[in-house]
Amino acid sequence: MANGYLTTHVLDTARGQPASGLPITLYRIEGDTRETLAQMVTNADGRTDAPILPKDQFATGIYELVFDAGSYLDAIDTPPETPRFLDQIPLRFGVSDPDAHYHVPLLLSPFGYSTYRGS
């Protein structure tokens, strides 16, 4: 069994606070197949209450986190655009070490985002 796991943290850089209530979906990618593994919503700290991919499900491979920025921005009354500049934010990444902690945070504003492999 692998000892690694996957977490995230979403910060709203425009407001200077955690992005609470942001829906996230995790997919495993194999060729042209995209399998849904988890769906979660960020808590008051901008994190999920449990690892998105816990140790008992963790494996090497290609994954994609999709952050539903549009619904979050709507919920916090960000002035709407049609369509929004940012709606669904897909982050595709590889897991090569089954025993490592992969932390994939998102820094979000209505008109930009950034990510990195955190700790």
Side-chain angles (χ1 to χ4, degrees):
M1 179 191 302
N3 287 315
Y5 57 102
L6 173 66
T7 59
T8 192
H9 189 197
V10 185
L11 296 172
D12 183 331
T13 57
R15 297 171 61 201
Q17 62 189 40
S20 174
L22 192 146
I24 301 168
T25 303
L26 174 68
Y27 300 93
R28 181 172 174 82
I29 309 298
E30 291 189 35
D32 292 334
T33 304
R34 190 171 136 178
E35 176 189 4
T36 303
L37 297 181
Q39 293 181 312
M40 299 183 158
V41 176
T42 56
N43 61 25
D45 192 37
R47 301 175 188 273
T48 56
D49 290 331
I52 299 170
L53 193 58
K55 291 179 183 182
D56 64 339
Q57 298 174 29
F58 200 74
T60 59
I62 305 297
Y63 294 88
E64 184 176 80
L65 279 169
V66 177
F67 297 86
D68 190 353
S71 70
Y72 166 76
L73 293 169
D74 289 344
I76 63 165
D77 294 327
T78 301
E81 300 176 285
T82 305
R84 278 208 179 274
F85 180 70
L86 292 177
D87 186 23
Q88 301 284 310
I89 300 174
L91 299 179
R92 191 168 287 192
F93 58 95
V95 169
S96 59
D97 183 352
D99 294 317
H101 173 199
Y102 281 75
H103 183 68
V104 183
L106 182 72
L107 304 176
L108 173 66
S109 77
F111 298 102
Y113 67 91
S114 66
T115 190
Y116 55 94
R117 179 167 175 203
S119 59

